[in-house]
Amino acid sequence: MTSPTVTVPLRLRQGVLRSRPAEATERWVRRRITIAWFLLVVDVLPFSPKTWTGQSLIIPVPSIVGKLITQGALPAALLLVMSVNRRLLLRPNVYMCLLSLLIIESFLLILEPQHLGTMYRTVRFAGFVATLWLLTPWWGRRDLLFVRAHLTALFIALGTVLLGIPIAHHTAFGEGRLGGAFWPLPPPQVAHITAVMTGLVVVLWLGGLLSGRVTLTVVLIALASLLLTHTRTALVGMTAGIIVAGLSLFKVRARARKLFVTLFVVVSIGALTLSGVVTTYLARGENSQQLGNLSGRATVWSQILVVPRNHFQVLFGFGLSNLSFNGLSVDSNWLGSYLDLGLFGVLIGAAILLFLLVSAFLQPPGVRRALALFLVAYCLVSSFTETGLSEASLYLLDLSVAASLLVPPITNRSPG
Protein backbone atom coordinates (compact mmCIF):
# COMPACT_ATOMS: atom_id res chain seq x y z
CA MET A 1 0.00 0.00 0.00
CA THR A 2 1.22 3.45 -0.76
CA SER A 3 1.35 5.93 2.09
CA PRO A 4 -1.13 8.77 1.85
CA THR A 5 0.30 12.02 0.60
CA VAL A 6 -0.06 15.11 2.69
CA THR A 7 -0.99 18.16 0.67
CA VAL A 8 -0.10 21.65 1.84
CA PRO A 9 -2.47 24.43 0.88
CA LEU A 10 -1.07 26.76 -1.76
CA ARG A 11 -1.69 29.82 0.41
CA LEU A 12 0.31 28.34 3.30
CA ARG A 13 3.21 27.41 1.06
CA GLN A 14 3.25 30.86 -0.52
CA GLY A 15 3.17 32.41 2.95
CA VAL A 16 6.18 30.37 4.08
CA LEU A 17 8.09 31.24 0.93
CA ARG A 18 7.30 34.90 1.37
CA SER A 19 8.23 34.96 5.07
CA ARG A 20 11.78 33.73 4.44
CA PRO A 21 12.81 36.61 2.14
CA ALA A 22 11.07 39.02 4.52
CA GLU A 23 13.09 37.74 7.50
CA ALA A 24 16.32 37.90 5.49
CA THR A 25 15.52 41.46 4.41
CA GLU A 26 14.75 42.45 7.99
CA ARG A 27 18.10 41.09 9.21
CA TRP A 28 19.84 42.89 6.37
CA VAL A 29 18.18 46.16 7.34
CA ARG A 30 19.00 45.79 11.05
CA ARG A 31 22.65 45.03 10.37
CA ARG A 32 23.13 47.95 8.02
CA ILE A 33 21.45 50.39 10.39
CA THR A 34 23.58 49.13 13.28
CA ILE A 35 26.76 49.53 11.22
CA ALA A 36 25.67 53.00 10.08
CA TRP A 37 25.02 54.03 13.68
CA PHE A 38 28.47 52.76 14.69
CA LEU A 39 29.99 54.87 11.91
CA LEU A 40 28.14 57.92 13.26
CA VAL A 41 29.67 57.26 16.67
CA VAL A 42 33.13 56.97 15.10
CA ASP A 43 32.50 60.26 13.31
CA VAL A 44 31.96 62.18 16.57
CA LEU A 45 34.87 60.62 18.49
CA PRO A 46 37.88 62.92 18.77
CA PHE A 47 41.23 62.01 17.24
CA SER A 48 44.79 63.18 17.74
CA PRO A 49 48.08 61.36 17.12
CA LYS A 50 48.79 61.45 20.87
CA THR A 51 46.78 60.65 23.98
CA TRP A 52 45.20 63.44 25.99
CA THR A 53 48.39 63.62 28.12
CA GLY A 54 50.68 63.76 25.08
CA GLN A 55 51.90 60.15 25.20
CA SER A 56 52.24 57.92 22.16
CA LEU A 57 49.39 55.57 21.28
CA ILE A 58 49.88 51.82 21.55
CA ILE A 59 49.52 51.58 17.76
CA PRO A 60 50.90 54.81 16.28
CA VAL A 61 48.30 56.17 13.89
CA PRO A 62 49.40 59.02 11.62
CA SER A 63 47.27 62.12 11.96
CA ILE A 64 46.10 62.00 8.35
CA VAL A 65 45.01 58.36 8.70
CA GLY A 66 43.14 58.98 11.96
CA LYS A 67 41.32 61.99 10.53
CA LEU A 68 40.50 60.03 7.38
CA ILE A 69 38.89 57.33 9.55
CA THR A 70 36.78 59.73 11.61
CA GLN A 71 35.85 62.12 8.83
CA GLY A 72 35.31 59.33 6.31
CA ALA A 73 32.92 57.55 8.68
CA LEU A 74 30.18 60.14 8.05
CA PRO A 75 29.91 59.78 4.24
CA ALA A 76 30.19 55.99 4.68
CA ALA A 77 27.27 56.06 7.12
CA LEU A 78 25.25 58.27 4.79
CA LEU A 79 25.80 55.96 1.81
CA LEU A 80 24.98 52.90 3.93
CA VAL A 81 21.71 54.42 5.10
CA MET A 82 20.84 55.43 1.54
CA SER A 83 21.38 51.83 0.45
CA VAL A 84 18.64 50.82 2.89
CA ASN A 85 16.35 53.82 2.49
CA ARG A 86 16.56 53.88 -1.31
CA ARG A 87 13.40 55.94 -1.73
CA LEU A 88 14.83 58.57 0.65
CA LEU A 89 11.74 58.50 2.84
CA LEU A 90 11.60 60.82 5.84
CA ARG A 91 9.41 60.75 8.93
CA PRO A 92 8.56 64.33 9.98
CA ASN A 93 9.04 65.12 13.65
CA VAL A 94 9.70 68.19 15.76
CA TYR A 95 13.11 67.07 17.03
CA MET A 96 14.62 66.74 13.56
CA CYS A 97 13.00 70.00 12.46
CA LEU A 98 14.73 71.79 15.35
CA LEU A 99 18.06 70.29 14.32
CA SER A 100 17.40 71.43 10.78
CA LEU A 101 16.93 74.99 12.03
CA LEU A 102 20.49 74.84 13.39
CA ILE A 103 21.68 73.76 9.95
CA ILE A 104 19.81 76.59 8.22
CA GLU A 105 21.31 79.12 10.61
CA SER A 106 24.81 77.66 10.13
CA PHE A 107 24.54 78.02 6.35
CA LEU A 108 23.36 81.62 6.73
CA LEU A 109 26.44 82.35 8.83
CA ILE A 110 28.90 81.06 6.23
CA LEU A 111 27.65 83.79 3.89
CA GLU A 112 29.60 86.14 6.13
CA PRO A 113 33.42 86.20 5.77
CA GLN A 114 34.48 83.04 7.57
CA HIS A 115 37.37 80.66 7.80
CA LEU A 116 37.42 77.54 5.65
CA GLY A 117 37.14 75.45 8.83
CA THR A 118 33.75 76.99 9.63
CA MET A 119 32.40 76.11 6.18
CA TYR A 120 33.75 72.58 6.41
CA ARG A 121 32.19 72.01 9.86
CA THR A 122 28.87 73.35 8.59
CA VAL A 123 28.81 70.94 5.65
CA ARG A 124 29.73 68.01 7.88
CA PHE A 125 27.05 68.96 10.40
CA ALA A 126 24.52 69.07 7.57
CA GLY A 127 25.59 65.59 6.46
CA PHE A 128 25.24 64.34 10.03
CA VAL A 129 21.68 65.67 10.33
CA ALA A 130 20.80 64.36 6.85
CA THR A 131 21.87 60.87 7.92
CA LEU A 132 19.67 61.11 11.01
CA TRP A 133 16.76 62.23 8.81
CA LEU A 134 17.15 59.16 6.60
CA LEU A 135 17.02 56.93 9.69
CA THR A 136 13.71 58.35 10.92
CA PRO A 137 11.49 55.80 9.09
CA TRP A 138 12.80 53.17 11.54
CA TRP A 139 12.08 55.26 14.64
CA GLY A 140 9.46 53.85 16.99
CA ARG A 141 10.31 50.20 16.41
CA ARG A 142 9.22 47.92 19.22
CA ASP A 143 12.52 46.00 19.19
CA LEU A 144 14.44 49.10 20.43
CA LEU A 145 16.74 48.93 17.39
CA PHE A 146 18.51 52.23 18.03
CA VAL A 147 19.02 51.52 21.74
CA ARG A 148 20.71 48.25 20.85
CA ALA A 149 22.77 49.87 18.09
CA HIS A 150 23.86 52.65 20.47
CA LEU A 151 24.84 50.16 23.17
CA THR A 152 26.78 48.07 20.65
CA ALA A 153 28.78 51.08 19.47
CA LEU A 154 29.49 52.18 23.05
CA PHE A 155 30.58 48.65 24.02
CA ILE A 156 33.10 48.61 21.17
CA ALA A 157 34.43 52.05 22.11
CA LEU A 158 34.81 51.05 25.77
CA GLY A 159 36.45 47.79 24.71
CA THR A 160 39.30 49.71 23.05
CA VAL A 161 39.84 51.61 26.29
CA LEU A 162 39.83 48.53 28.53
CA LEU A 163 42.12 46.64 26.16
CA GLY A 164 44.76 49.32 26.63
CA ILE A 165 44.93 48.84 30.41
CA PRO A 166 46.87 45.53 30.48
CA ILE A 167 48.96 46.43 27.42
CA ALA A 168 50.04 49.97 28.35
CA HIS A 169 48.93 50.72 31.90
CA HIS A 170 50.84 53.99 32.26
CA THR A 171 49.51 55.31 28.97
CA ALA A 172 45.92 54.37 29.79
CA PHE A 173 46.13 56.04 33.22
CA GLY A 174 47.82 59.27 32.25
CA GLU A 175 47.78 61.66 35.21
CA GLY A 176 45.79 59.08 37.19
CA ARG A 177 42.68 59.20 34.95
CA LEU A 178 41.52 56.46 32.60
CA GLY A 179 41.70 57.38 28.93
CA GLY A 180 42.12 55.69 25.58
CA ALA A 181 45.50 54.18 24.73
CA PHE A 182 44.51 52.61 21.40
CA TRP A 183 42.19 55.42 20.30
CA PRO A 184 42.86 58.82 21.95
CA LEU A 185 39.67 59.10 23.97
CA PRO A 186 40.05 61.66 26.78
CA PRO A 187 38.66 60.80 30.24
CA PRO A 188 35.46 62.92 29.84
CA GLN A 189 34.62 61.03 26.64
CA VAL A 190 35.25 57.66 28.31
CA ALA A 191 33.09 58.79 31.23
CA HIS A 192 30.27 59.76 28.86
CA ILE A 193 30.39 56.34 27.20
CA THR A 194 30.41 54.42 30.48
CA ALA A 195 27.73 56.59 32.12
CA VAL A 196 25.29 56.17 29.23
CA MET A 197 26.00 52.44 29.06
CA THR A 198 25.38 52.02 32.78
CA GLY A 199 22.15 54.01 32.73
CA LEU A 200 20.68 52.27 29.69
CA VAL A 201 21.50 48.80 31.03
CA VAL A 202 20.02 49.61 34.45
CA VAL A 203 16.80 50.93 32.89
CA LEU A 204 16.52 47.88 30.63
CA TRP A 205 16.89 45.68 33.71
CA LEU A 206 14.27 47.67 35.57
CA GLY A 207 11.93 47.09 32.64
CA GLY A 208 12.57 43.35 32.70
CA LEU A 209 14.37 43.28 29.34
CA LEU A 210 17.77 42.18 30.70
CA SER A 211 18.72 39.44 33.12
CA GLY A 212 20.31 40.21 36.45
CA ARG A 213 23.63 38.53 35.58
CA VAL A 214 24.13 40.46 32.36
CA THR A 215 23.15 43.70 34.07
CA LEU A 216 25.47 43.14 37.03
CA THR A 217 28.42 42.28 34.79
CA VAL A 218 27.99 45.30 32.52
CA VAL A 219 27.30 47.72 35.38
CA LEU A 220 30.35 46.60 37.37
CA ILE A 221 32.67 47.01 34.37
CA ALA A 222 31.17 50.29 33.14
CA LEU A 223 30.80 51.85 36.59
CA ALA A 224 34.37 50.92 37.56
CA SER A 225 35.61 52.50 34.33
CA LEU A 226 33.54 55.63 35.04
CA LEU A 227 35.02 55.99 38.52
CA LEU A 228 38.55 55.54 37.15
CA THR A 229 38.05 58.51 34.82
CA HIS A 230 37.47 60.82 37.84
CA THR A 231 34.85 62.75 35.86
CA ARG A 232 32.24 64.36 38.07
CA THR A 233 29.87 65.61 35.36
CA ALA A 234 29.18 62.15 33.93
CA LEU A 235 28.72 60.65 37.40
CA VAL A 236 26.22 63.30 38.46
CA GLY A 237 24.39 63.16 35.13
CA MET A 238 24.12 59.37 35.24
CA THR A 239 22.80 59.44 38.81
CA ALA A 240 20.21 62.08 37.95
CA GLY A 241 19.15 60.19 34.83
CA ILE A 242 18.70 56.88 36.64
CA ILE A 243 16.67 58.57 39.39
CA VAL A 244 14.36 60.24 36.85
CA ALA A 245 13.96 57.04 34.83
CA GLY A 246 13.41 54.97 37.98
CA LEU A 247 10.73 57.32 39.24
CA SER A 248 8.89 56.97 35.93
CA LEU A 249 8.79 53.19 36.52
CA PHE A 250 8.08 53.40 40.25
CA LYS A 251 4.36 52.63 39.99
CA VAL A 252 4.54 49.95 37.29
CA ARG A 253 7.70 47.99 38.17
CA ALA A 254 8.45 46.33 41.49
CA ARG A 255 12.15 46.29 40.58
CA ALA A 256 12.18 50.07 40.53
CA ARG A 257 10.68 50.26 44.01
CA LYS A 258 13.17 47.72 45.38
CA LEU A 259 16.05 49.56 43.73
CA PHE A 260 15.12 52.86 45.36
CA VAL A 261 14.84 51.23 48.77
CA THR A 262 18.25 49.59 48.31
CA LEU A 263 19.85 52.81 47.11
CA PHE A 264 18.40 54.71 50.07
CA VAL A 265 19.95 52.24 52.49
CA VAL A 266 23.31 52.20 50.68
CA VAL A 267 23.49 56.00 50.42
CA SER A 268 22.55 56.41 54.09
CA ILE A 269 25.27 54.02 55.22
CA GLY A 270 27.79 55.55 52.82
CA ALA A 271 27.04 59.08 54.02
CA LEU A 272 27.86 58.03 57.57
CA THR A 273 30.97 55.95 56.89
CA LEU A 274 32.52 57.03 53.58
CA SER A 275 31.78 60.74 53.37
CA GLY A 276 35.48 61.64 53.60
CA VAL A 277 36.43 59.25 50.80
CA VAL A 278 33.64 60.54 48.56
CA THR A 279 34.65 64.16 49.21
CA THR A 280 38.29 63.43 48.39
CA TYR A 281 37.30 61.63 45.20
CA LEU A 282 35.04 64.46 44.03
CA ALA A 283 37.64 67.12 44.90
CA ARG A 284 40.14 65.36 42.58
CA GLY A 285 43.08 67.01 44.30
CA GLU A 286 41.83 70.54 43.59
CA ASN A 287 41.80 73.33 46.17
CA SER A 288 38.79 75.45 47.05
CA GLN A 289 39.75 78.19 44.56
CA GLN A 290 39.96 75.73 41.69
CA LEU A 291 36.64 74.17 42.67
CA GLY A 292 35.02 77.59 42.87
CA ASN A 293 36.39 78.42 39.43
CA LEU A 294 35.00 75.11 38.09
CA SER A 295 38.49 73.89 37.11
CA GLY A 296 39.15 77.06 35.10
CA ARG A 297 35.86 77.01 33.21
CA ALA A 298 34.52 80.18 34.82
CA THR A 299 37.48 82.17 33.48
CA VAL A 300 36.81 81.09 29.90
CA TRP A 301 33.08 81.71 30.27
CA SER A 302 33.60 85.27 31.49
CA GLN A 303 35.90 85.97 28.53
CA ILE A 304 33.28 84.72 26.07
CA LEU A 305 30.62 86.99 27.54
CA VAL A 306 32.74 90.15 27.16
CA VAL A 307 33.73 89.55 23.52
CA PRO A 308 32.63 92.55 21.39
CA ARG A 309 29.66 91.66 19.17
CA ASN A 310 27.29 93.50 16.90
CA HIS A 311 23.54 92.87 17.02
CA PHE A 312 23.70 90.21 14.32
CA GLN A 313 26.44 88.29 16.17
CA VAL A 314 24.52 88.49 19.42
CA LEU A 315 21.55 86.82 17.75
CA PHE A 316 23.33 84.36 15.43
CA GLY A 317 26.94 84.03 16.63
CA PHE A 318 30.16 83.68 14.65
CA GLY A 319 29.60 80.29 12.98
CA LEU A 320 30.56 76.74 13.91
CA SER A 321 33.99 76.45 15.53
CA ASN A 322 35.97 73.83 17.41
CA LEU A 323 34.33 75.12 20.62
CA SER A 324 37.51 76.56 22.06
CA PHE A 325 38.30 80.14 23.05
CA ASN A 326 41.85 81.49 23.17
CA GLY A 327 43.12 77.92 23.06
CA LEU A 328 40.96 76.77 25.99
CA SER A 329 37.95 74.49 25.82
CA VAL A 330 34.59 76.19 26.38
CA ASP A 331 33.12 73.23 28.34
CA SER A 332 29.56 74.54 28.42
CA ASN A 333 26.92 73.80 25.86
CA TRP A 334 25.10 77.05 26.51
CA LEU A 335 28.19 79.26 26.24
CA GLY A 336 29.43 77.23 23.28
CA SER A 337 26.09 77.63 21.51
CA TYR A 338 26.14 81.35 22.25
CA LEU A 339 29.66 81.64 20.85
CA ASP A 340 28.90 79.77 17.62
CA LEU A 341 25.18 80.32 17.00
CA GLY A 342 24.21 83.21 19.28
CA LEU A 343 21.00 83.49 21.25
CA PHE A 344 19.12 81.71 18.48
CA GLY A 345 21.29 78.62 18.93
CA VAL A 346 20.80 78.72 22.69
CA LEU A 347 17.02 78.87 22.27
CA ILE A 348 17.03 75.96 19.81
CA GLY A 349 19.11 73.84 22.21
CA ALA A 350 16.72 74.61 25.05
CA ALA A 351 13.72 73.87 22.79
CA ILE A 352 15.17 70.45 21.89
CA LEU A 353 15.55 69.42 25.52
CA LEU A 354 12.18 70.88 26.51
CA PHE A 355 10.37 69.16 23.64
CA LEU A 356 11.87 65.76 24.47
CA LEU A 357 11.08 66.15 28.18
CA VAL A 358 7.46 67.12 27.52
CA SER A 359 7.06 64.33 24.96
CA ALA A 360 8.45 61.80 27.43
CA PHE A 361 6.16 62.89 30.25
CA LEU A 362 3.16 62.60 27.92
CA GLN A 363 4.00 58.99 27.11
CA PRO A 364 2.42 56.11 29.09
CA PRO A 365 4.71 54.59 31.77
CA GLY A 366 7.02 51.97 30.36
CA VAL A 367 10.55 51.08 29.37
CA ARG A 368 10.63 53.28 26.27
CA ARG A 369 9.62 56.34 28.26
CA ALA A 370 12.13 55.53 31.02
CA LEU A 371 15.00 55.11 28.53
CA ALA A 372 14.17 58.42 26.88
CA LEU A 373 13.94 60.20 30.23
CA PHE A 374 17.33 58.86 31.29
CA LEU A 375 19.02 60.09 28.11
CA VAL A 376 17.40 63.52 28.20
CA ALA A 377 18.08 64.01 31.93
CA TYR A 378 21.71 62.97 31.47
CA CYS A 379 22.24 65.37 28.55
CA LEU A 380 20.49 68.19 30.43
CA VAL A 381 22.71 67.85 33.50
CA SER A 382 25.88 67.43 31.44
CA SER A 383 25.09 70.42 29.21
CA PHE A 384 26.23 72.88 31.89
CA THR A 385 29.86 71.71 31.87
CA GLU A 386 30.07 69.87 28.52
CA THR A 387 29.44 70.86 24.91
CA GLY A 388 27.62 68.98 22.18
CA LEU A 389 24.07 70.21 21.54
CA SER A 390 25.09 72.55 18.72
CA GLU A 391 27.39 70.21 16.79
CA ALA A 392 27.69 66.58 15.70
CA SER A 393 28.43 64.83 18.99
CA LEU A 394 27.62 61.88 21.22
CA TYR A 395 25.10 64.09 23.01
CA LEU A 396 23.08 64.59 19.82
CA LEU A 397 23.23 60.85 19.17
CA ASP A 398 21.95 60.23 22.73
CA LEU A 399 19.08 62.65 22.15
CA SER A 400 18.35 61.09 18.75
CA VAL A 401 17.96 57.69 20.44
CA ALA A 402 15.61 59.32 22.95
CA ALA A 403 13.59 60.91 20.14
CA SER A 404 13.33 57.54 18.36
CA LEU A 405 11.73 56.07 21.49
CA LEU A 406 9.06 58.77 21.75
CA VAL A 407 7.37 58.35 18.36
CA PRO A 408 4.55 55.87 17.74
CA PRO A 409 5.50 52.66 15.92
CA ILE A 410 4.84 52.26 12.21
CA THR A 411 2.87 49.15 11.40
CA ASN A 412 3.42 49.12 7.62
CA ARG A 413 6.39 47.65 5.80
CA SER A 414 9.93 48.94 6.20
CA PRO A 415 11.05 51.51 3.59
CA GLY A 416 13.94 49.19 2.68
Side-chain angles (χ1 to χ4, degrees), residues 116-160:
L116 182 62
T118 300
M119 301 179 185
Y120 181 67
R121 293 186 188 95
T122 301
V123 173
R124 282 185 56 80
F125 191 25
F128 180 83
V129 175
T131 306
L132 292 178
W133 264 116
L134 292 175
L135 289 171
T136 53
W138 288 274
W139 285 17
R141 287 171 58 111
R142 293 186 176 90
D143 61 355
L144 304 178
L145 173 61
F146 288 97
V147 174
R148 294 187 301 171
H150 201 47
L151 279 174
T152 300
L154 297 182
F155 275 128
I156 295 173
L158 180 59
T160 63

Side-chain angles (χ1 to χ4, degrees), residues 201-202 204-205 210-220 255:
V201 169
V202 169
L204 288 172
W205 173 75
L210 276 182
S211 65
R213 291 183 180 180
V214 174
T215 302
L216 182 62
T217 302
V218 174
V219 168
L220 287 178
R255 284 184 178 181

